[in-house]
Amino acid sequence: MDPVEIERPVQLLVEGNDARNFFEALAQHLGLGDIQVQNYGGVNDLGGFVSAFAAAPGFTGVTSLGVVRDAERPADGAPGTPREDAPPAAARRGTERYADRAFQSVCTALGNVGLPVPARPVEKSASNPAVGVFILPGGGDDGMLETLLCRTFAGSPVDACIEGFFRCVARSEIPIRRPDKSRARAFLATTQDPQVSVGVAAQRGHWDFDHDALRGVRRFLRSLVGDTPPA
C-alpha cells in the first residue's frame, strides 16, 4: 500500500479500508476538514508505508500526524495463536496486553524512519510534526474497531436480540472466531440499509458518532487539529 498525495496539514494513517471510511465519516461529522485519512494496509505494512510517507513531496507541510491501529488478538487457529499447551499470554509477558504490543509496534515503525514517537497512546509528541497514536478500541483494551462500535449499541433491545442469536449459535457448536466483527455485522443487518462493511455503514450514517463510547476517538481527532473539547 502506497501513500496517496498529501493534500492536508493533518494526516491520519489507519488500518484498512473500513477504518479509512469510518474515520473519514467521523471527521466529516465533527467538521474537521483539515484531516486527510490514509489507509496504510495491514499491521505488517505500516513500516513500509510510513517510510514512503515520510519521503513524500508533501510531507514537509504536515503539521500533525495520527496513527490508528487495532489491538486485535489472533483468531483461534490463526497465525500467532498460542497452542493449547502453551502458557497463558499473561504468564509469558507479565501483564502485557495486545494493546501495549500494538502501541510499541507503531512506535517502532515511526522511529525506524526518524519520525517522532509519542510517550504513550493518545498523547501527542511535542514535535513538528506532532505525532499521536490511538490503539483501538481505546483505553488500553484489546480489540478492534468493531469492538468499539459494538459498545454503541450495547444494552439496547437490538443488542439483546443479537445476544440471543449468539447463544443459539453457541448451542449449535459453530465456532465464531471474531465475535466483535460478527456482532457489528449482526447489528448492521437490523438497519434499514444493511451493510456488510462497517466503514460504508459509517458513511451512510448507521453508527451513532455522538455516542459516549466514541468519546475517546472524537477527542483524538480533535487533538490532531488542536481542538480538544470534552466531548
Side-chain angles (χ1 to χ4, degrees):
M1 187 71 65
D2 295 322
V4 300
E5 182 179 357
I6 296 175
E7 299 175 342
R8 300 176 190 175
V10 181
Q11 294 286 308
L12 182 67
L13 313 183
V14 302
E15 180 186 346
N17 283 325
D18 265 342
R20 183 191 62 195
N21 291 334
F22 171 82
F23 279 99
E24 283 182 343
L26 178 57
Q28 181 178 11
H29 175 78
L30 296 174
L32 303 178
D34 285 340
I35 295 181
Q36 180 180 358
V37 185
Q38 299 211 38
N39 167 23
Y40 60 77
V43 295
N44 295 326
D45 301 319
L46 179 59
F49 185 95
V50 295
S51 179
F53 178 77
F59 180 74
T60 56
V62 175
T63 59
S64 185
L65 170 65
V67 182
V68 177
R69 68 156 282 182
D70 292 340
E72 181 180 3
R73 293 177 177 272
D76 293 340
T81 303
R83 304 186 313 274
E84 290 184 2
D85 60 345
R92 295 197 308 273
R93 299 187 304 275
T95 59
E96 185 184 17
R97 298 167 294 184
Y98 279 87
D100 299 325
R101 297 171 65 189
F103 176 68
Q104 291 303 321
S105 176
V106 173
C107 289
T108 297
L110 293 169
N112 283 345
V113 297
L115 289 175
V117 175
R120 56 187 59 83
V122 180
E123 294 185 12
K124 291 193 301 182
S125 63
S127 57
N128 184 23
V131 177
V133 176
F134 194 98
I135 303 299
L136 291 165
D141 295 337
D142 295 338
M144 63 197 83
L145 175 59
E146 287 85 352
T147 306
L148 181 62
L149 293 175
C150 285
R151 294 173 182 173
T152 66
F153 60 85
S156 68
V158 169
D159 190 32
C161 296
I162 293 172
E163 181 60 30
F165 167 73
F166 273 80
R167 285 197 298 267
C168 179
V169 171
R171 289 194 296 270
S172 301
E173 299 183 353
I174 298 173
I176 297 178
R177 299 188 184 278
R178 289 184 169 86
D180 288 338
K181 287 183 179 290
S182 297
R183 286 179 180 274
R185 284 158 176 76
F187 170 80
L188 292 177
T190 70
T191 64
Q192 293 182 352
D193 181 24
Q195 300 293 322
V196 174
S197 164
V198 297
V200 172
Q203 293 179 326
R204 300 190 179 182
H206 293 314
W207 299 112
D208 181 3
F209 289 136
D210 296 319
H211 195 281
D212 192 60
L214 302 187
R215 178 187 295 266
V217 291
R218 291 196 302 267
R219 285 183 60 87
F220 181 69
L221 292 192
R222 285 171 166 152
S223 74
L224 292 179
V225 298
D227 178 20
T228 55

